[in-house]
Amino acid sequence: MLVDNMHIKRNINHSKYIFWISILFIWIISTLIDRIWWSFYSNTPSWDQADYLNSAIDHARALSFLGEEGALDLSSFLDKSPKIPPLASIINGAIIAFAGDAPHKAAWSLSIWNGFLIFNIASWGLYLRGKKFALFSVLISVFSPFLFHLRTDYVLELPLISSITFYLFHLGKWSDKSIGGKWIQLIIASFACASSLLIKQSSLLVIIPSLLFIFILSFKRDKIFKLQFTCLFLINIFAIMPWFYHNWIMILSGTYRAVFESAAIEGDPSIFGFESIFWYFPYLNNQFGSIIFFFGFSGILLVLLTHIRSFKGVLKLEDLFKKNNYKWTWISFNLLTCWTFTTFIPNKDERYIACTIPLIILLLALGFSKWNDWLDNYFKFNSILFIAPLSFIFSNSINKFNTLENVSGKYYPVKEIISIVRSNQIFNEKETVIVVPSTPDVNQHNISYFGRMQGGNILGRQLGQSLSHIEPVLKYSNWIILADGDQGSVSSNSLALDKSIRDSSLFIKVREFPRAIEGSYSLWKRSSNSLEKNEFHKRFIELANGMEQGPLGIQLIFDEIAIHHMLDGHFKYQNIVRDNALSKISSDPANIESLWTISLLELLSNRPYKADIHLQKLETLLPNNPWPSAYRSIVNFASWNPWKASLIADRAYKRNGNYLLKSLGDVGAVFRGALWRFSSAFHSVPNSIKSIDEALNPIEK
């Protein structure tokens, strides 16, 4: 008997071993397909793609993966991810450090993320219905045209859905009453949730409703489950807090621009309109291929019809959470809520529905299983594994391979542009190249990416959106890229800057490069006899002292600094300014000019705590000036300290009676719990905004 049991156990282990070897083999095959694509399609990445690659290089350098000095502290490291969470860039940067930073080599990170997705999908399949179902799920995933597109395009959606699949699987297992509730499951689910949050903000479209589901479910569970859920919630708050605390202003403003402003610019439909509600449905057929979608969807209909025919009695809510139902309830709920949340996001794009794709794959695999069972019962034919590869062959994805010859023969000038700039560098000095205008082939992001490959120090920046850019560009820029011919919807301001550069005698055309469409690109360099030393560090001191004028001075400061940060992407002036200011303060602690200078530097560097220290000294030295106190109150808001912000503003308002101090004191008091001051804030905040607008009128005129 003991021998028989050992034999059965050995067979089970052998079967599992064969299964996971099969999954590994499928991943290898998909990776080979991807590498064939990348070997031909090693072209210049466009805007978003180059931006994500730049972020990966930033984090690799900050962690010394690429032989750089690395970040000085945690704040310096968090500076590298001002809008998008850092985890994907950290992992991608580590892979780039190992594989290489050329686009086709950096794409190995996508293959790793694809492997992670495949093994998570396989784990889901085993958990739901066993090995055959898991194979259906994996094959649908591998041969999905949409996922193939993500594997061959450097965007963050593949890391996102890989982590989301990992998260939903382990959270579902932990919350499953029949097998869950264990602490090790809770730890894994917490790690999965934190990982998803630290890859992209859109993971919240899945995480928020799923945690709400668990929260409601916890009322019917024991105290241990409630304690575990509390731990999961707190772990994730602590995991995301350092990044969010450091960058929250940029995160919120960037998210607003990406979600609302982009939707308005791109003309996306109103979220409550018929077109918006059904926006993503037409894409499903293209995302999975016609054959996969037909078999999967029709199989789901058969499953529903079978259940309806066999259903008797009244369905009770608790029946959904029984052992045999909970898994599919969990999948259905998360698919429905994620799809709904995504639908009501104003900005629309085919890839934004990515978080729902793993859940749809599992439902389609259920349809495949139903067809497989039906064919087995009536025709003794129980293998339709070939359907997914066949669907891929007849999908639009094959057209990508048919166009490889044209793609591989397309000319991209970025590499040659960077090569010319590098040949003029002395000891790899820091250089900034101005792009006018930004195009898919040549833009500030891919100039920066190729300029920083292999330890380079060349950054790209775009100017020309305003006529105010013309004079600074003519005075201080060193390298400029212009475009001739049809450039699409380019603003008249960019054309004016282009003309000013060509008509001036300050720049020499170094070389012209052909474009895929009509026209050309041209690289311009400042002539040696027109070199003018950029002494913006002196102008910065003047601007910093303008802070004592309040909103008028601040507006002038940021108008000029915004332009100069484009002209000098490396911010080389800041070290000069900082060293001079600190030197003067060390010898004369009451040097007002240097205190304003160092305060502005700390504000620009996103160091509100350090700025507060210097502003406090100015507050003491300038008791009749309300603005040091106002700035102190604002930086304490930025540091999430409304108690101190309110105290500073209230105390200064008694001395100066400034309109802004009154509103800051009221708002800070409300945030720290003094709700009785809400009425005062309701009046002081609009008055403060009106007064600021009036103060800025001279600039607008």
Side-chain angles (χ1 to χ4, degrees):
M1 187 70 174
L2 180 61
V3 174
D4 290 340
N5 288 338
M6 291 179 63
H7 181 70
I8 292 171
K9 188 175 182 180
R10 189 182 301 112
N11 286 339
I12 293 173
N13 290 334
H14 181 70
S15 177
K16 287 183 178 179
Y17 176 79
I18 294 297
F19 171 77
W20 288 111
I21 289 293
S22 301
I23 300 301
L24 178 63
F25 178 74
I26 292 172
W27 172 69
I28 292 172
I29 293 298
S30 68
T31 301
L32 287 175
I33 295 172
D34 298 345
R35 298 320 301 176
I36 291 172
W37 168 259
W38 280 106
S39 65
F40 286 97
Y41 193 70
S42 182
N43 68 338
T44 300
S46 192
W47 286 292
D48 286 352
Q49 294 84 346
D51 201 19
Y52 294 138
L53 285 165
N54 276 318
S55 180
I57 290 178
D58 278 339
H59 288 79
R61 287 186 171 188
L63 294 170
S64 301
F65 291 157
L66 293 177
E68 302 292 325
E69 294 181 0
L72 299 176
D73 52 29
L74 179 61
S75 295
S76 299
F77 179 76
L78 293 175
D79 287 338
K80 308 297 181 183
S81 50
K83 299 176 185 177
I84 300 294
L87 183 59
S89 294
I90 293 171
I91 296 172
N92 294 345
I95 295 171
I96 285 174
F98 178 78
D101 53 13
H104 66 288
K105 294 180 179 178
W108 273 106
S109 61
L110 297 175
S111 298
I112 300 299
W113 286 112
N114 181 47
F116 187 48
L117 172 64
I118 287 173
F119 279 84
N120 284 320
I121 289 287
S123 299
W124 259 113
L126 284 176
Y127 168 63
L128 290 170
R129 294 192 60 158
K131 295 172 189 172
K132 194 96 174 210
F133 179 83
L135 278 175
F136 284 136
S137 303
V138 169
L139 288 172
I140 292 172
S141 172
V142 168
F143 291 103
S144 160
F146 178 67
L147 290 177
F148 172 70
H149 174 72
L150 294 184
R151 302 199 311 261
T152 53
D153 193 20
Y154 208 98
V155 290
L156 287 185
E157 269 62 33
L158 188 57
L160 174 65
I161 63 175
S162 301
S163 63
I164 284 295
T165 307
F166 181 57
Y167 159 71
L168 287 176
F169 171 61
H170 286 285
L171 190 68
K173 283 187 66 177
W174 166 72
S175 59
D176 188 342
K177 192 173 184 179
S178 61
I179 61 170
K182 300 179 178 63
W183 280 101
I184 185 62
Q185 293 173 327
L186 181 278
I187 292 171
I188 297 173
S190 300
F191 172 78
C193 185
S195 299
S196 300
L197 284 169
L198 289 170
I199 285 178
K200 201 172 182 183
Q201 293 97 313
S202 50
S203 62
L204 290 170
L205 299 174
V206 175
I207 291 172
I208 289 176
S210 64
L211 291 183
L212 181 61
F213 182 91
I214 300 298
F215 174 72
I216 296 171
L217 190 65
S218 66
F219 288 102
K220 288 186 171 291
R221 298 293 179 86
D222 57 24
K223 292 182 180 179
I224 295 296
F225 186 88
K226 293 182 177 70
L227 175 62
Q228 290 177 339
F229 178 67
T230 303
C231 290
L232 182 147
F233 186 79
L234 293 176
I235 288 171
N236 282 277
I237 291 293
F238 288 127
I240 198 71
M241 189 55 65
W243 170 73
F244 186 79
Y245 174 81
H246 185 76
N247 294 303
W248 71 275
I249 296 175
M250 289 293 292
I251 294 167
L252 295 181
S253 61
T255 301
Y256 176 80
R257 287 194 298 271
V259 173
F260 297 99
E261 290 186 2
S262 294
I265 293 171
E266 296 167 8
D268 291 325
S270 170
I271 60 173
F272 297 110
F274 182 85
E275 184 182 359
S276 176
I277 293 172
F278 291 93
W279 178 275
Y280 291 104
F281 284 97
Y283 290 113
L284 288 174
N285 188 48
N286 293 331
Q287 286 172 330
F288 294 100
S290 301
I291 300 176
I292 286 180
F293 191 71
F294 169 78
F295 269 86
F297 186 71
S298 59
I300 293 171
L301 291 178
L302 290 175
V303 171
L304 292 175
L305 290 173
T306 302
H307 278 280
I308 291 172
R309 289 176 60 187
S310 62
F311 178 72
K312 296 179 181 179
V314 179
L315 178 65
K316 297 180 180 179
L317 182 62
E318 54 264 28
D319 291 340
L320 296 174
F321 303 106
K322 288 183 178 179
K323 179 178 179 180
N324 295 329
N325 294 331
Y326 180 79
K327 302 172 184 178
W328 291 104
T329 302
W330 176 247
I331 290 173
S332 302
F333 172 84
N334 284 288
L335 174 58
L336 178 64
T337 54
C338 181
W339 184 280
T340 303
F341 277 36
T342 306
T343 296
F344 287 104
I345 294 296
N347 195 14
K348 307 292 186 188
D349 189 274
E350 181 180 359
R351 61 187 171 97
Y352 293 164
I353 204 70
C355 289
T356 64
I357 295 300
L359 299 172
I360 296 174
I361 286 172
L362 296 173
L363 286 181
L364 292 177
L366 180 63
F368 269 65
S369 295
K370 183 63 178 177
W371 273 111
N372 190 77
D373 295 341
W374 184 80
L375 291 171
D376 184 38
N377 289 334
Y378 290 96
F379 300 100
K380 302 304 178 185
F381 179 76
N382 62 355
S383 180
I384 55 172
L385 298 176
F386 66 92
I387 293 295
L390 185 67
S391 177
F392 181 78
I393 292 173
F394 287 99
S395 71
N396 293 332
S397 297
I398 294 300
N399 293 333
K400 292 185 74 171
F401 286 95
N402 294 334
T403 60
L404 278 178
E405 185 177 350
N406 294 332
V407 171
S408 61
K410 187 177 178 181
Y411 176 72
Y412 295 92
V414 174
K415 291 182 181 179
E416 292 188 53
I417 290 171
I418 294 301
S419 178
I420 292 171
V421 176
R422 279 185 175 174
S423 66
N424 284 267
Q425 280 182 296
I426 301 174
F427 302 117
N428 197 25
E429 63 182 338
K430 295 179 179 179
E431 191 62 79
T432 303
V433 179
I434 305 300
V435 182
V436 186
S438 181
T439 67
D441 293 344
V442 179
N443 56 72
Q444 64 273 27
H445 300 303
N446 55 34
I447 287 290
S448 295
Y449 171 57
F450 280 95
R452 298 169 70 235
M453 284 171 54
Q454 301 175 354
N457 273 319
I458 301 170
L459 294 177
R461 292 292 184 265
Q462 180 190 7
L463 282 171
Q465 302 92 327
S466 169
L467 292 176
S468 63
H469 296 175
I470 294 176
E471 183 181 354
V473 168
L474 293 178
K475 288 181 68 174
Y476 298 122
S477 60
N478 194 29
W479 291 94
I480 303 174
I481 300 172
L482 303 178
D484 298 311
D486 182 15
Q487 300 167 31
S489 56
V490 175
S491 69
S492 59
N493 295 334
S494 292
L495 296 175
L497 176 57
D498 180 290
K499 187 176 187 304
S500 298
I501 293 166
R502 295 177 190 274
D503 292 346
S504 75
S505 58
L506 302 174
F507 298 92
I508 301 171
K509 184 189 289 188
V510 178
R511 186 172 164 185
E512 200 167 272
F513 306 89
R515 298 178 67 188
I517 58 177
E518 182 184 354
S520 63
Y521 294 103
S522 55
L523 177 64
W524 298 70
K525 186 181 187 301
R526 182 175 293 277
S527 60
S528 57
N529 58 2
S530 68
L531 289 176
E532 183 173 341
K533 189 174 182 181
N534 189 342
E535 296 187 339
F536 182 74
H537 59 278
K538 295 181 180 179
R539 176 59 179 156
F540 183 87
I541 296 171
E542 297 175 14
L543 292 170
N545 279 272
M547 291 177 69
E548 65 183 10
Q549 301 175 32
L552 186 61
I554 290 292
Q555 183 68 49
L556 291 170
I557 286 168
F558 285 99
D559 283 349
E560 285 201 40
I561 288 178
I563 297 173
H564 191 80
H565 280 185
M566 295 293 103
L567 294 168
D568 175 17
H570 297 279
F571 312 149
K572 291 181 284 188
Y573 74 92
Q574 290 190 354
N575 288 333
I576 301 172
V577 171
R578 188 181 299 277
D579 292 343
N580 288 340
L582 291 175
S583 176
K584 291 180 180 179
I585 291 172
S586 64
S587 58
D588 179 14
N591 189 311
I592 293 176
E593 180 183 80
S594 296
L595 286 170
W596 279 122
T597 299
I598 200 70
S599 297
L600 180 56
L601 269 181
E602 300 298 359
L603 289 172
L604 293 174
S605 302
N606 192 20
R607 301 294 186 272
Y609 174 76
K610 292 182 178 180
D612 182 55
I613 295 172
H614 300 294
L615 289 168
Q616 185 178 16
K617 296 176 183 177
L618 286 166
E619 189 180 35
T620 304
L621 293 169
L622 303 171
N624 297 322
N625 190 323
W627 299 114
S629 300
Y631 300 143
R632 281 195 70 201
S633 183
I634 292 170
V635 298
N636 278 283
F637 272 118
S639 299
W640 294 20
N641 194 345
W643 300 270
K644 187 175 180 180
S646 177
L647 179 65
I648 292 169
D650 287 340
R651 188 173 55 201
Y653 180 69
K654 292 177 182 179
R655 295 195 311 266
N656 297 292
N658 181 272
Y659 55 87
L660 182 58
L661 289 171
K662 173 62 175 171
S663 64
L664 289 171
D666 288 339
V667 172
V670 171
F671 273 101
R672 64 179 168 84
L675 299 180
W676 57 87
R677 291 184 62 175
F678 182 83
S679 176
S680 178
F682 184 78
H683 292 91
S684 64
V685 171
N687 291 335
S688 175
I689 294 172
K690 180 181 178 181
S691 299
I692 292 173
D693 288 339
E694 291 174 354
L696 295 177
N697 277 341
I699 294 180
E700 295 174 0
K701 291 178 181 179

